[in-house]
């Protein structure tokens, strides 16, 4: 059988080597005769797995000592609530930048639980001649006293990525669910970073939170205990039973990243992969992408066929060649190829070969 390449946006493919290792130790972990998911989260062995995963993430992202790393439940959306509950305060204000579907959903969730607090929402996505880009300029001059600014540096559904740093006087909160560990960032520029795990880290359900210590000293909203950052911090993310298997697998992915050159190597590789695919899209009038070059996502490449009546045939032929899950999100339609860290260059090459042939067939 020829290689299968899975372009699913999430849950997404994990590194093949990690999957094989997990399979190998699935029922008999480190000679214990039981699975890592069958042992107590408070056992010495599991605590070591948990601590090692955190340490690896700290090394990979060069997380400064004045940041906590939390492993939480509830995926990305769980953090939409957690961020507002923990940081907003009963009469605080926060600014939400909207650049696509996920940042919009985060703002809506915050509004839902804000009570007497206030959520200001600014649309930063501009469409010019059908091409979308992000405009950060309205930020300068805003003099409000915000508890935090929230944005989503990579819009998974829309294929829009923000590479610029956000310049503002307030703590910046970033939803990095779909681009964490994909390129080098300076953690100290952020107040809080969170990510649902299933795009670039591991199995779904787990969320990673990296939060600057001082942000947890202000009064928060009343909230569910399992979303409470302070409880998570005080209990080493084990206030209740954490998603132990997901945490273990995340640790294995971090180890794989370290063995493969860390984030700087991923960064370069992801630039090459995205370049190859966008070049294919741009060089065939048969395909089009509607995001300005400076905001094109390196992780989620969206595109449409010139003749949308061929969508079904495109997907069927792709699948027959082992190129899976290319259908775009239902809200935006068209196609989407998610090419996270685990997607090898060869996978993108195989997709580009297919797209070139398909375009020539239908020219
Ligand atoms: C997938 C995704 C989410 C939602 O994650 P869930 O784990 O399904 O809640 C939130 N934000 C971004 C940017 C995502 O890509």
């Amino acid at each position: 059988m020829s290689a299968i390449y899975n372009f699913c946006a999430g849950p997404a493919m994990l590194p093949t080597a990690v999957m094989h290792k997990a399979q190998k130790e699935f029922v008999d972990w480190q000679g214990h005769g039981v699975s890592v998911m069958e042992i107590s989260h408070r056992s010495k062995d599991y605590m070591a797995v948990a601590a090692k995963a955190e340490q690896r993430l700290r090394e990979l992202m060069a997380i400064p000592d004045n940041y906590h790393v939390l492993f939480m439940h509830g995926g990305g959306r769980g953090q939409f609530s957690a961020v507002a509950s923990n940081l907003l305060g009963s009469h605080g204000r926060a600014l939400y930048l909207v650049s696509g579907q996920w940042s919009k959903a985060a703002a809506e969730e915050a509004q839902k639980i804000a009570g007497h607090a206030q959520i200001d929402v600014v649309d930063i996505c501009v469409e010019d001649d059908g091409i979308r880009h992000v405009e950060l300029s309205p930020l300068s001059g805003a003099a409000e006293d915000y508890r935090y600014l929230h944005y989503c540096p990579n819009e998974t559904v829309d294929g829009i990525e923000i590479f610029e740093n956000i310049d503002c006087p307030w703590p910046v909160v970033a939803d990095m669910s779909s681009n964490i560990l994909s390129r080098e960032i300076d953690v100290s520029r952020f107040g809080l970073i969170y990510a649902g795990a299933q795009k670039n880290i591991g199995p779904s359900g787990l969320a990673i939170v990296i939060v600057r210590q001082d942000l947890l000293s202000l009064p928060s909203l009343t909230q569910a205990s399992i979303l409470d950052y302070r409880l998570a911090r005080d209990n080493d993310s084990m206030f209740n039973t954490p998603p132990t298997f997901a945490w273990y697998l995340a640790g294995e992915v971090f180890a794989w990243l370290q063995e493969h050159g860390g984030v700087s190597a991923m960064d370069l590789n992801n630039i090459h992969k995205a370049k190859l695919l966008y070049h294919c899209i741009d060089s065939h009038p048969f395909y089009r992408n509607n995001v300005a070059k400076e905001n094109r996502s390196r992780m989620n490449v969206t595109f449409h066929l010139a003749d949308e009546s061929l969508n079904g045939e495109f997907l069927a032929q792709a699948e027959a060649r082992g190129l899976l899950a290319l259908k775009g999100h239902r809200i935006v339609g068209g196609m989407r190829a998610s090419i996270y860290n685990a997607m090898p260059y060869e996978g993108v090459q195989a997709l580009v070969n297919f797209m070139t042939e398909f375009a020539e067939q239908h020219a």
Side-chain angles (χ1 to χ4, degrees):
M1 200 173 70
S2 65
I4 300 281
Y5 294 110
N6 174 11
F7 294 91
C8 189
M13 72 171 292
L14 294 175
T16 310
V18 171
M19 296 303 278
H20 283 307
K21 179 159 190 276
Q23 181 187 43
K24 203 163 136 251
E25 50 192 41
F26 191 61
V27 290
D28 182 8
W29 177 65
Q30 293 186 355
H32 292 282
V34 292
S35 173
V36 66
M37 77 170 98
E38 299 173 305
I39 63 172
S40 167
H41 54 294
R42 303 198 188 281
S43 64
K44 197 166 112 287
D45 290 328
Y46 190 81
M47 297 283 267
V49 170
K52 189 76 197 167
E54 176 179 335
Q55 187 200 325
R56 288 187 188 284
L57 182 65
R58 283 186 176 277
E59 288 163 10
L60 282 164
M61 295 180 71
I63 299 172
D65 288 341
N66 63 325
Y67 284 73
H68 301 293
V69 175
L70 310 173
F71 290 75
M72 301 191 76
H73 291 276
R77 277 187 189 269
Q79 291 308 312
F80 293 176
S81 315
V83 163
S85 305
N86 283 280
L87 305 185
L88 193 50
S90 58
H91 289 78
R93 293 177 73 171
L95 178 61
Y96 277 69
L97 306 183
V98 171
S99 53
Q101 296 299 325
W102 284 117
S103 50
K104 181 162 164 267
E108 284 166 2
E109 188 70 13
Q111 272 162 336
K112 204 167 114 185
I113 58 176
H116 294 295
Q118 187 180 325
I119 304 295
D120 292 346
V121 180
V122 176
D123 195 338
I124 53 167
C125 200
V126 181
E127 194 166 324
D128 264 335
D129 277 341
I131 300 295
R132 304 172 77 191
H133 74 277
V134 167
E135 200 94 69
L136 288 170
S137 44
L139 278 188
S140 52
E144 304 301 336
D145 187 15
Y146 291 118
R147 281 280 192 100
Y148 64 92
L149 171 149
H150 179 283
Y151 83 119
C152 179
N154 187 61
E155 288 284 1
T156 323
V157 171
D158 307 81
I160 294 174
E161 188 159 359
I162 301 169
F163 297 97
E164 270 169 275
N165 287 318
I166 304 274
D167 237 339
C168 72
W170 320 293
V172 174
V173 175
D175 174 2
M176 294 199 187
S177 294
S178 53
N179 72 344
I180 191 166
L181 295 165
S182 72
R183 58 179 161 95
E184 293 191 282
I185 57 150
D186 177 358
V187 172
S188 73
R189 297 192 66 99
F190 297 85
L192 187 148
I193 291 167
Y194 66 90
Q198 71 272 27
K199 279 54 181 254
N200 231 350
I201 293 176
S204 59
L206 174 70
I208 306 258
V209 178
I210 301 163
V211 56
R212 212 174 63 213
Q213 283 167 5
D214 62 284
L215 293 187
L216 303 190
S217 58
L218 289 166
S220 61
L221 292 172
T222 312
Q223 60 182 306
S225 297
I226 64 159
L227 294 182
D228 189 326
Y229 294 149
R230 283 182 257 207
L231 276 179
R233 171 199 62 193
D234 295 342
N235 291 279
D236 294 328
S237 301
M238 294 191 187
F239 171 72
N240 72 328
T241 315
T244 54
F245 191 73
W247 192 334
Y248 147 82
L249 215 53
E252 293 297 332
V253 171
F254 298 153
W256 178 86
L257 286 170
Q258 289 187 314
E259 282 159 27
H260 289 79
V263 178
S264 59
M266 295 299 133
D267 197 331
L268 273 182
N269 201 28
N270 289 329
I271 288 172
H272 289 140
K273 280 152 52 185
K275 213 172 181 172
L276 179 66
L277 187 44
Y278 284 116
H279 180 259
C280 171
I281 292 167
D282 291 340
S283 49
H284 295 95
F286 187 78
Y287 301 109
R288 96 193 126 74
N289 164 281
N290 68 352
V291 182
K293 292 217 162 73
E294 69 271 20
N295 289 122
R296 282 175 163 185
S297 172
R298 285 182 195 150
M299 295 286 100
N300 310 97
V301 179
T302 53
F303 61 95
H304 287 260
L305 310 195
D307 178 357
E308 300 250 40
S309 72
L310 293 168
N311 283 357
E313 194 182 331
F314 179 91
L315 290 167
Q317 280 197 30
E319 198 171 316
R321 303 221 337 203
L323 307 168
L324 310 184
L326 288 163
K327 192 169 182 197
H329 190 278
R330 61 198 143 73
I331 294 173
V332 298
M335 305 297 157
R336 172 175 52 173
S338 295
I339 51 175
Y340 303 115
N341 286 343
M343 174 62 67
Y345 188 82
E346 296 73 45
V348 181
Q349 186 69 65
L351 174 60
V352 163
N353 291 346
F354 164 70
M355 285 172 65
T356 305
E357 277 174 41
F358 193 87
E360 280 161 7
Q361 260 173 43
H362 295 90

